[in-house]
Amino acid sequence: MTDLLGTPGGDAPAVTVGDETLSRRELFGRAAAVAAEIAGAEAVAVHADASAATIAAVVGGLLAGVPVVPLPPDSGPAERAHILGDSGAALLLATRADAPADGPPLVPLDDLPSAAVPAAAPAPDATALILYTSGTTGAPKGVLVSRSAIAAGLDALAAAWDWTGGDVLVHGLPLFHVHGLVLGVLGALRVGSPVIHTGWPRPDAYAEAAGRGGTLFFGVPTVWSRLAADPGAAAALRGARLLVSGSAPLPVPVFERVAELTGHRPVERYGMTETLITVSARADGPRRPGRVGTPLPGVRTRLAAEDGTPVPHDGETPGELHVQAPTLFDGYLNRPDATAAAFTADGWFRTGDIAAVEPDGTHRIVGRASTDLIKSGGYRIGAGEIEDALLAHPGVREAAVIGTPHDDLGEQVTAFVVADGASAGELTEFVASRLSVHKRPRAVHLVDSLPRNAMGKVVKSRLR
């Protein structure tokens, strides 16, 4: 089995989660036992907690050619029932302690013996994963991701980041998303680099893993923000090779502080569940705060205005980002209407994200079209630019900006800010002094915290 995950043999450590370490031989042996149990199933769900058992279960599904449905371990009964029912998962892979009372039949992961790895590999266009979206605009949709899409995406990132078997990857991200599972586990297995999963993405855990040889570190902005506030832990990462941030925009002040403390300018990248990673800074190229780099090999992007006309790549004018790439998904499960609506008439995927592209191809993500493009008094304003301006204030720890209804302007710029010792009026004037006056917040709400999901993204619908 070498088409997606590399060779199964070898006794060197491959995966470490908490206190458990598996070699490639041990991991693939356990996975092969899973594959034997689930052979022929239409799809299987995996209780995707941070454990070696989860990794063996996912690899087992890939060995068997059975689509894997990662199930968030903290999903509530309604979400779990929707994912299990919608996906058609015939079996649930979990330890006996983690198995819910309801749901499909259990394949317990506690006592499976080692087995021989199947000789035949599934077809490249076979569905590898069914990943469920966050459901911010309705019930979560199942995203069909093929083996070939995953392979293309991982190979492009390996080239962009100089990622090889000589690296040791460290992260503590959830194993039911693209970032933690596809990049953080399947990517490591494909390139042959050991992975240390810290269990939780804490600065002290990252520092400890650095002492165990970690060279490549993945994190969401919340991780890097916490590391920036812990100089001792940050200093431990000076011996790393590369720090990578994703899943949400990295605030400019956090970027600069991490660079100061660690000696590394973080690599930022952009992607979606439906596209995998399509745009990234390079290990050997410029890494600029607020920018996510240029398209990966094989990826084409364009910007479109609301009427579908092209938007110039001038670095300033925002437009909806459209993508064509070998990493694109194969559609939404059982949702042909939603699949058709996600593509333009000429075959480009509509990301729903607003971006600006500079003449050299560097991309800056402004935010979601539904929440981060504010139309105020005839102006089109990106929320991300205002958030960056607020975060430049020394008293601001977190900031989120949305458009709220306004009788005269249509929408007004409204900010929610976690700050120490800064007044609403002071913050409004601070933004007006750095940006165009029409971009200043007309309402500033000082709050104790911002609502975030498991990946650290602010859930702006809850701000409304």
Side-chain angles (χ1 to χ4, degrees):
M1 171 65 180
T2 60
D3 68 322
L4 179 59
L5 300 176
T7 57
D11 294 319
V15 172
T16 298
V17 185
D19 297 328
E20 187 171 11
T21 296
L22 299 178
S23 68
R24 290 187 74 91
R25 193 182 314 280
E26 290 169 331
L27 172 61
F28 278 80
R30 290 193 192 182
V34 172
E37 291 284 332
I38 66 175
E42 282 200 23
V44 294
V46 174
H47 177 82
D49 61 353
S51 68
T54 289
I55 295 173
V58 172
V59 173
L62 297 176
L63 292 176
V66 175
V68 174
V69 184
L71 192 62
D74 60 350
S75 57
E79 179 185 8
R80 183 170 63 248
H82 169 74
I83 293 175
L84 291 173
D86 186 71
S87 68
L91 301 167
L92 174 63
L93 310 184
T95 63
R96 293 184 181 88
D98 292 327
D102 53 355
L106 175 68
V107 175
L109 300 174
D110 306 79
D111 308 314
L112 289 175
S114 183
V117 175
D125 60 354
T127 298
L129 301 171
I130 305 176
L131 302 171
Y132 276 78
T133 63
S134 58
T136 55
T137 56
K141 298 188 290 289
V143 176
L144 301 171
V145 183
S146 70
R147 304 172 72 87
S148 61
I150 293 173
L154 295 178
D155 288 348
L157 287 176
W161 298 343
D162 293 336
W163 186 5
T164 72
D167 280 304
V168 175
L169 172 62
V170 177
H171 73 90
L173 302 169
L175 298 185
F176 49 88
H177 284 295
V178 167
H179 197 168
L181 178 60
V182 177
L183 275 63
V185 173
L186 304 186
L189 291 174
R190 184 167 178 82
V191 303
S193 67
V195 58
I196 298 173
H197 193 286
T198 60
W200 295 99
R202 302 186 317 268
D204 61 329
Y206 277 41
E208 190 271 338
R212 293 156 59 193
T215 63
L216 178 60
F217 289 77
F218 289 174
V220 297
T222 302
V223 174
W224 302 121
S225 177
R226 292 173 180 172
L227 192 88
D230 189 338
L237 270 59
R238 283 191 166 271
R241 187 181 67 80
L242 204 65
L243 312 183
V244 179
S245 181
S247 295
L250 182 65
V252 172
V254 175
F255 180 107
E256 294 173 340
R257 182 63 170 160
V258 168
E260 174 189 351
L261 293 173
T262 67
H264 297 284
R265 298 174 69 81
V267 161
E268 294 190 69
R269 84 301 185 281
Y270 165 80
M272 300 177 64
T273 305
E274 291 91 339
T275 67
L276 304 182
I277 307 305
T278 52
V279 180
S280 179
R282 307 304 201 264
D284 61 354
R287 306 172 208 166
R288 298 164 55 197
R291 272 67 175 171
V292 293
T294 55
L296 293 168
V299 176
R300 299 171 61 203
T301 65
R302 72 182 186 188
L303 298 180
E306 290 169 296
D307 61 2
T309 57
V311 169
H313 291 188
D314 58 12
E316 294 293 334
T317 308
E320 184 185 21
L321 184 63
H322 294 174
V323 173
Q324 286 186 337
T327 59
L328 286 181
F329 73 133
D330 289 333
Y332 295 112
L333 180 65
N334 303 322
R335 295 288 301 275
D337 53 340
T339 302
F343 288 85
T344 63
D346 56 348
W348 291 73
F349 176 70
R350 307 174 190 266
T351 67
D353 285 323
I354 302 300
V357 179
E358 297 173 6
D360 67 355
T362 298
H363 286 49
R364 174 169 59 88
I365 306 300
V366 175
R368 293 295 291 171
S370 58
T371 57
D372 294 319
L373 184 63
I374 303 168
K375 302 169 190 174
S376 182
Y379 293 101
R380 290 158 54 90
I381 303 168
E385 184 178 22
I386 304 167
E387 290 164 356
D388 284 342
L390 286 165
L391 287 165
H393 189 286
V396 172
R397 289 187 282 123
E398 298 180 78
V401 170
I402 62 173
T404 56
H406 189 278
D407 291 340
D408 178 46
L409 300 172
E411 287 186 307
Q412 70 174 6
V413 177
T414 299
F416 295 79
V417 181
V418 181
D420 299 316
S423 69
E426 176 186 349
L427 295 176
T428 296
E429 293 305 314
F430 183 80
V431 172
S433 70
R434 300 173 70 89
L435 304 176
S436 302
V437 174
H438 69 266
K439 296 179 180 179
R440 72 189 187 281
R442 290 179 174 267
V444 175
H445 301 285
L446 300 175
V447 297
D448 294 330
S449 63
L450 299 177
R452 296 182 181 274
N453 64 15
M455 295 303 292
K457 293 182 182 180
V458 175
V459 184
K460 290 193 173 182
S461 59
R462 290 170 59 187
L463 295 174
R464 296 180 184 278

